[in-house]
Amino acid sequence: MLLARQGAQMREPLPRPEATRVVVVANQKGGVGKTTSTVNVAAALAQLGQRVLVVDLDPQGNASTAVAVEHRRGTPSTYDLLVEGRALREVVTRCPDVERLFVVPATIDLAGAEIELVSVVAREQRLHKALHADPRISTEPVEVAGEDRFDFVFIDCPPSLGLLTINALVAGQEMLIPIQAEYYALEGLGQLLSTVDMVRAHLNPDLAISAILVTMYDARTRLAAGVADEVRAHFGDQVLRTYIPRSVRVSEAPSYSQTVMTYDPGSPGAMSYLDAARELAQKGLRPQDGPAS
């Protein structure tokens, strides 16, 4: 374990991107590894030398739990950012276990945010406005924006297509969609893609689906391989080459308030997330045309 931790610290850093990349992690189907993928890809990128911010937009607060960040009611959170109009710097906290990883936690107050925002002017723009008002989220390179510029912002959405997810899609430039390697993988995805098209048409024309991540992959079964092939046939090279294996260590990590990147850095799950993070970083933005529409 100690060797694995030292190995994590010695990993070759990636070059920092030209501008902050704001990535929305969304899939309204529950249980596909959405939050798990958010926190582990974020932690992997931080280990690879990137400054990463995770915005927990799910009232359940599972992403906050996984990175050992306080999210009891009353904690400065995404609720304050969206509903109360607090500045990002007032609600960001550091992840205690991973250097260069920062979090805006979610509290249970966020559960009522959709109702509270209904009558607010430009309600779909609240998150975009809050994020882009902070100089650390910048279209400028590090040399201009400063060393404390965030390289990646990951927005972990709730498993629904309500106003919170719409806020994320308006705030983001690109999407990472986790898909479980099981029979119903593509079921319901059409609804998500329709929502993406609507957001592009009316609110955020720059939104691109940059990556599809196959999760819970069991190489021993024909079904998993078949599902992965079907997803790749539909989405082409938007699908990351790295598949995340079904892993007990990945599932155990949140119960210890850790990502698998610190819980068991040498495990197959951690190594896969590290590979997926590298691939996402090197992939850059995908074109907006193609199967995404």
Side-chain angles (χ1 to χ4, degrees), residues 69-76 106-109:
V69 165
E70 184 60 68
H71 59 103
R72 283 180 298 186
R73 176 168 266 167
T75 304
T107 64
I108 193 63
D109 293 321

Side-chain angles (χ1 to χ4, degrees), residues 18-49:
E18 284 299 301
T20 304
R21 291 176 61 183
V22 183
V23 183
V24 181
V25 187
N27 191 331
Q28 82 275 19
K29 190 172 185 297
V32 299
K34 178 181 55 60
T35 297
T36 301
S37 295
T38 302
V39 296
N40 283 302
V41 169
L45 284 166
Q47 289 181 352
L48 291 167

Side-chain angles (χ1 to χ4, degrees), residues 103-134:
V103 184
V104 181
T107 64
I108 193 63
D109 293 321
L110 196 59
E114 301 215 3
I115 297 167
E116 293 182 60
L117 288 172
V118 162
S119 59
V120 174
V121 174
R123 60 195 180 197
E124 302 92 350
Q125 308 278 350
R126 300 283 289 186
L127 185 59
H128 180 277
K129 186 178 175 185
L131 292 181
H132 291 276
D134 193 292

Side-chain angles (χ1 to χ4, degrees), residues 34-44 54 62-64 66-67 101 154 156 254 258-261 273:
K34 178 181 55 60
T35 297
T36 301
S37 295
T38 302
V39 296
N40 283 302
V41 169
V54 171
N62 292 337
S64 306
V67 291
L101 181 60
F154 287 93
D156 184 42
Q258 291 188 62
T259 67
V260 75
M261 307 310 297
Y273 272 118

Side-chain angles (χ1 to χ4, degrees), residues 206-281:
D206 298 326
L207 183 64
I209 296 177
S210 62
I212 309 285
L213 179 63
V214 176
T215 63
M216 304 181 200
Y217 184 81
D218 187 344
R220 298 169 301 178
T221 68
R222 258 194 241 163
L223 175 61
V227 169
D229 288 345
E230 186 180 357
V231 171
R232 193 169 290 283
H234 190 76
F235 289 99
D237 64 355
Q238 287 169 308
V239 184
L240 296 181
R241 293 186 302 276
T242 304
Y243 297 161
I244 307 302
R246 187 173 287 281
S247 164
V248 173
R249 307 303 271 173
V250 170
S251 303
E252 280 176 350
S255 63
Y256 293 91
S257 294
Q258 291 188 62
T259 67
V260 75
M261 307 310 297
T262 56
Y263 178 63
D264 191 354
S267 66
M271 293 301 186
S272 295
Y273 272 118
L274 191 71
D275 289 342
R278 261 188 217 283
E279 200 178 336
L280 180 68

Side-chain angles (χ1 to χ4, degrees), residues 40-102:
N40 283 302
V41 169
L45 284 166
Q47 289 181 352
L48 291 167
Q50 309 294 295
R51 281 176 64 82
V52 184
L53 173 65
V54 171
V55 178
D56 189 352
L57 212 56
D58 188 341
Q60 296 176 85
N62 292 337
S64 306
T65 299
V67 291
V69 165
E70 184 60 68
H71 59 103
R72 283 180 298 186
R73 176 168 266 167
T75 304
S77 68
T78 44
Y79 175 84
D80 301 289
L81 197 67
L82 279 174
V83 179
E84 302 294 340
R86 296 268 294 273
L88 183 64
R89 66 179 177 277
E90 297 176 33
V91 297
V92 170
T93 186
R94 286 176 178 269
C95 171
D97 296 329
V98 182
E99 195 181 350
R100 294 180 294 273
L101 181 60
F102 300 80

